[in-house]
Amino acid sequence: MRPGMGFEDKLCGIVEADDVYIGGKKSGGKRGRGAPGKEIVVGFKERGGNVAAQVVQNLKSETLAPLLDAFVSVGAELLVTDELKSYKKAAGKRKHATICHSKTFVNGNVHTMGMENFWSLFKRAIIGVYHRVSAKYLQAYLDEFVFRFNQRHNEAIFDMVLANC
């Protein structure tokens, strides 16, 4: 389930990008961006297609740009993000649209609901299957979950995994 297995092409079409914070203590602390003890994960999802996700140290455009270059085609139809300014700068020559989550979550085809769905599934897996994940191994758990998500329609997944053991 190593990265890239079953995911060779860059994402194209309408691609959603979003970030999430994983881990840390729940009780009485700050939530969202900048919350202490949480790991930052950035994800990209092609509508109706695959997902790519990476643990990152920060959300600066200098961090996001190489990830966009690695996972999202420059010729993608549209890159959709929230209003974090780093995404706009990192998008480069890609056509880019933003959604303001404080006002609405969907504006026509401009939304990040597909990526939000993936984050929801991943967080439920942590709670219900893994129970806890350490920062040290978060990328490994993420790689497994991305692989499983990207292979969700593959009827030969069991044989494929066994062949690569």
Side-chain angles (χ1 to χ4, degrees):
M1 289 182 242
R2 63 192 171 273
M5 194 169 151
F7 174 60
E8 290 78 30
D9 298 326
K10 290 186 178 185
L11 303 173
C12 57
I14 298 176
V15 178
E16 302 170 14
D18 194 29
D19 51 272
V20 69
Y21 288 77
I22 304 289
K25 298 190 183 219
K26 279 188 172 184
S27 58
K30 182 179 177 185
R31 294 181 57 194
R33 290 193 172 109
K38 294 190 177 278
E39 300 300 316
I40 308 168
V41 181
V42 175
F44 309 94
K45 182 180 185 302
E46 180 180 328
R47 298 249 174 102
N50 288 334
V51 167
Q54 182 72 44
V55 176
V56 295
Q57 293 298 313
N58 59 58
L59 290 172
K60 295 179 180 177
S61 59
E62 298 82 23
T63 303
L64 297 175
L67 292 176
L68 280 165
D69 291 341
F71 297 123
V72 181
S73 170
V74 173
E77 183 182 333
L78 182 65
L79 175 65
V80 181
T81 67
D82 60 21
E83 290 189 311
L84 182 68
K85 291 179 183 173
S86 299
Y87 284 121
K88 181 174 177 140
K89 188 173 178 186
K93 296 181 180 182
R94 292 171 187 85
K95 186 177 177 187
H96 181 230
T98 60
I99 189 75
C100 178
H101 288 275
S102 65
K103 294 180 182 176
T104 186
F105 284 91
V106 178
N107 185 5
N109 72 343
V110 178
H111 61 81
T112 58
M113 300 309 289
M115 201 62 231
E116 296 282 353
N117 175 60
F118 178 82
W119 294 140
S120 176
L121 293 171
F122 182 62
K123 287 179 177 183
R124 296 299 153 247
I126 291 173
I127 292 167
V129 177
Y130 308 124
H131 304 297
R132 292 169 40 125
V133 296
S134 70
K136 181 177 180 181
Y137 297 109
L138 178 57
Q139 187 64 53
Y141 285 103
L142 195 57
D143 290 343
E144 175 194 350
F145 206 78
V146 165
F147 173 82
R148 289 172 43 194
F149 185 87
N150 290 347
Q151 297 300 322
R152 66 195 179 278
H153 301 297
N154 185 350
E155 293 179 11
I157 186 67
F158 184 75
D159 296 330
M160 186 173 116
V161 171
L162 287 180
N164 285 290
C165 287

